[in-house]
Amino acid sequence: MSLENAPDDVKLAVDLIMLLEEHAIAPEVVLRALEIVKKDFERKVEEGNGTP
């Protein structure tokens, strides 16, 4: 499957991986930050603000 035909969530994941790797951020730091981001977006979905 080519990336251009991939679902949006896969495209975003690839972009985020590339960004984090380009900045050489430690995996442990990335995982902690992603937990914060996940909680924030879960809250937005619960509040009905999940769609831009």
Side-chain angles (χ1 to χ4, degrees):
M1 172 196 284
S2 86
L3 191 55
E4 70 182 39
N5 296 324
D8 288 342
D9 55 342
V10 173
K11 290 178 188 177
L12 178 58
V14 170
D15 287 345
L16 290 171
I17 291 166
M18 290 174 57
L19 178 70
L20 295 166
E21 287 180 350
E22 286 172 3
H23 286 83
I25 300 171
E28 298 82 5
V29 173
V30 170
L31 291 174
R32 288 192 307 266
L34 288 174
E35 278 300 316
I36 295 167
V37 171
K38 183 177 186 236
K39 288 176 185 174
D40 181 62
F41 276 87
E42 287 173 338
R43 180 186 52 78
K44 288 177 182 176
V45 169
E46 287 176 9
E47 292 175 355
N49 300 324
T51 306

